[in-house]
Amino acid sequence: MKIDILTLFPESFSYLNTSILKKAQESGKLEINLIDIRQFSKDKHKKCDDYPFGGGAGMLMSVQPVYDAIQSVKQESSLLLLPSPRGEIFNVKLAQELAKQEHLIFICGHYEGIDQRICDIFSPYEISIGDYILTGGELPTMVIADCVARFIDGVISKESLKEESFSSGKLEYPQYTRPADFMGYKVPEVLLSGNHAQIEKFRQEQAIKLTKEKRPDLLKKKD
């Protein structure tokens, strides 16, 4: 998969070149490109924002630099994404669908957002990561890109994806590693038994218990 990220602040994305995402890029399973919107500004000072018509607080990203930045990378197979509080709420199911795409382009809004004409011209898929406001689209873009990348074949083992929270409609069961006893807090004996059937039963029971306690709404959705 190819991901192009259009942003005023490319320096914000160092996280995407670490850990699992770094390995995915090195193996050729994923390509991430950062495109600085400022390089497309026709203003002599590379300005990319202006006051909104009609007045109001803050500044708005100008249509021209964003339009030209999109045109520089957009292809027939591209899916244009805009992190936005008015978008569809992001979840595992949507991440899995996006992972099937060949090319994703993220538009990172900033300040008070972007000129509406970008949406009128390109009709980007608007996605929200929650009912709150951030200072820009960079953080939501990283959240979405990270989650989507995990569903690209070969980036994460299928077994890991199957067992983690939300994939099965439940929260993931508690997990432990060495030492087996830390300050009197001991790993459940069943996990040390070597009895795989009992371990699986214990894990599923714990997953249901945790989900009932912390996210009962997930079980209701399943029903």
Side-chain angles (χ1 to χ4, degrees):
M1 171 186 281
K2 181 180 180 182
I3 296 178
D4 286 321
I5 299 173
L6 313 182
T7 175
L8 294 173
F9 303 98
E11 65 274 14
S12 303
F13 291 90
S14 59
Y15 168 77
L16 296 183
N17 195 36
T18 63
S19 188
I20 291 172
L21 295 184
K22 181 179 181 180
K23 292 178 181 178
Q25 293 175 77
E26 290 174 344
S27 67
K29 296 180 177 67
L30 177 64
E31 177 185 345
I32 299 178
N33 302 304
L34 302 176
I35 293 93
D36 188 344
I37 295 173
R38 294 183 196 278
Q39 68 179 313
F40 296 93
S41 175
K42 294 180 180 179
D43 178 83
K44 65 179 181 179
H45 301 297
K46 296 301 179 183
K47 185 179 177 183
C48 292
D49 63 343
D50 211 331
Y51 294 102
F53 283 121
M59 304 289 280
L60 202 63
M61 287 179 65
S62 306
V63 62
Q64 176 270 313
V66 179
Y67 176 88
D68 287 348
I70 292 170
Q71 291 290 65
S72 74
V73 293
K74 189 175 181 296
Q75 302 172 7
E76 189 174 339
S77 61
S78 303
L79 178 61
L80 196 59
L81 305 178
L82 175 64
S84 165
R86 66 188 186 188
E88 179 181 344
I89 296 294
F90 188 61
N91 56 27
V92 167
K93 183 178 179 181
L94 180 51
Q96 291 171 330
E97 290 301 313
L98 293 177
K100 298 175 184 177
Q101 298 291 322
E102 295 179 16
H103 184 206
L104 299 179
I105 301 173
F106 286 89
I107 311 169
C108 298
H110 217 80
Y111 312 117
E112 292 300 310
I114 62 174
D115 191 301
Q116 175 62 32
R117 286 168 290 187
I118 290 296
C119 295
D120 296 340
I121 295 168
F122 293 105
S123 299
Y125 192 164
E126 297 184 61
I127 301 176
S128 170
I129 63 168
D131 293 338
Y132 49 88
I133 304 299
L134 298 170
T135 56
E138 284 75 20
L139 286 174
T141 291
M142 282 189 274
V143 168
I144 297 167
D146 182 285
C147 188
V148 168
R150 300 176 82 256
F151 290 101
I152 298 172
D153 284 344
V155 172
I156 297 286
S157 72
K158 291 183 179 180
E159 187 64 24
S160 294
L161 293 173
K162 179 181 176 183
E163 294 293 326
E164 65 187 11
S165 294
F166 305 113
S167 292
S168 63
K170 302 185 294 292
L171 297 181
E172 189 174 6
Y173 46 79
Q175 298 202 63
Y176 307 83
T177 187
R178 296 179 179 83
D181 186 337
F182 179 71
M183 298 174 59
Y185 290 85
K186 297 181 179 181
V187 173
E189 287 293 332
V190 65
L191 298 178
L192 308 175
S193 68
N195 187 323
H196 296 295
Q198 288 299 314
I199 290 172
E200 178 62 21
K201 180 182 177 185
F202 171 79
R203 285 175 167 172
Q204 292 307 312
E205 289 173 348
Q206 290 297 304
I208 292 172
K209 179 183 176 183
L210 271 177
T211 307
K212 285 181 178 178
E213 291 175 355
K214 299 180 181 297
R215 289 293 304 274
D217 58 297
L218 295 176
L219 296 175
K220 291 178 182 177
K221 289 178 182 178
K222 193 174 181 181
D223 294 339

